[in-house]
Amino acid sequence: MSGMIRVVVVDDEPMVCAHLRTILGSAPDIEVVDEAHDGAAGVDAVVRSRPDVVLMDLRMPVLDGIAAIERIVKLGKPPVVGVLTTFDADQYVLRALRAGAAGFLVKSTPPEDLIGLVRVAAEGHTVLSPAAARRLIAASADSQPARDRARKLVASLTEREVEVLTGLGEGLSNAQIAARLYLSEATVKGYVSRMLDKLGLDNRTQAGLLAHDAGIVSR
């Protein structure tokens, strides 16, 4: 991505919004263009300001963060949504990822790391470390219907697509998957894009969760 990264911050605590504005505003390539203090206002802010990245708290009045994420990802050319959370093994975080969030940021993240994570999100990459992904998946409740649905979807993929999906489930980047499978990064990017369309998923984070549900990634 070239130019300024436009960010909307949504949190019911104005102090948190002010803190994030200060941190992100110190970066030469990031601009906080709007903020909101409940989920409904957050959706309005996204429509109004057309950001590249949204940082979304989950527990908010009027409309909670998960419902707001569901609305945002249905917009034309939706921004990347990163969840703001206090605890990274929170059940709400897993629900938010399934709703379409691309990853999460723990509120205690050091300022320089926060700036880096926003840049990563703006490039369209997953903001979710493999270790965090494993903790979240381990915390999730096993559901037979979810497993059955995931296995049915995975059965529609080619062998190479399953290999790429497995990499996503392990939290690997396109470059890491490319190195593993002896493919170019552009080829892997194409596989990911087509696979998301085929599976009816919004982003690579949802694909990674599907890989876990289907049992093709060891927990």
Side-chain angles (χ1 to χ4, degrees):
M1 171 174 290
S2 59
M4 294 293 286
I5 299 169
R6 295 166 58 81
V7 179
V8 165
V9 178
V10 187
D11 194 292
D12 65 345
E13 295 184 34
M15 285 293 290
V16 172
C17 292
H19 176 64
L20 291 170
R21 271 188 183 275
T22 300
I23 292 172
L24 298 177
S26 70
D29 57 338
I30 299 175
E31 180 183 6
V32 178
V33 295
D34 212 337
E35 70 177 65
H37 302 140
D38 67 69
V43 176
D44 291 342
V46 169
V47 172
R48 179 171 60 243
S49 302
R50 307 306 300 175
D52 303 300
V53 176
V54 179
L55 299 182
M56 174 78 69
D57 191 20
L58 295 181
R59 293 176 176 84
M60 290 183 295
V62 184
L63 186 73
D64 69 28
I66 292 169
I69 290 167
E70 289 173 341
R71 293 187 187 182
I72 289 169
V73 299
K74 288 180 171 65
L75 297 173
K77 295 185 178 178
V80 175
V81 182
V83 169
L84 287 169
T85 183
T86 307
F87 305 106
D88 61 7
D90 192 325
Q91 282 293 317
Y92 283 96
V93 175
L94 189 68
R95 287 175 56 199
L97 296 175
R98 294 192 188 282
F104 65 83
L105 307 171
V106 179
K107 290 183 181 181
S108 58
T109 299
E112 62 275 16
D113 292 344
L114 182 68
I115 289 168
L117 288 168
V118 167
R119 288 174 177 148
V120 167
E123 291 290 344
H125 300 303
T126 304
V127 189
L128 191 69
S129 72
R134 283 195 293 272
R135 283 199 302 277
L136 274 172
I137 297 301
S140 69
D142 283 326
S143 164
Q144 190 61 48
R147 284 197 296 269
D148 291 344
R149 173 183 170 276
R151 287 169 182 161
K152 185 175 180 180
L153 286 170
V154 170
S156 71
L157 302 178
T158 65
E159 183 177 348
R160 181 63 89 191
E161 286 170 339
V162 172
E163 291 173 337
V164 172
L165 182 64
T166 301
L168 295 180
E170 293 173 8
L172 302 183
S173 66
N174 286 352
Q176 290 169 320
I177 295 171
R180 173 189 285 183
L181 301 180
Y182 303 101
L183 299 170
S184 72
E185 192 171 345
T187 299
V188 171
K189 187 175 181 180
Y191 270 116
V192 171
S193 179
R194 289 191 299 274
M195 190 166 59
L196 292 178
D197 284 342
K198 185 184 285 190
L199 297 173
L201 301 175
D202 295 312
N203 56 47
R204 57 195 292 129
T205 305
Q206 287 184 337
L209 291 171
L210 180 77
H212 283 275
D213 285 344
I216 63 173
V217 179
S218 58
R219 296 197 175 195

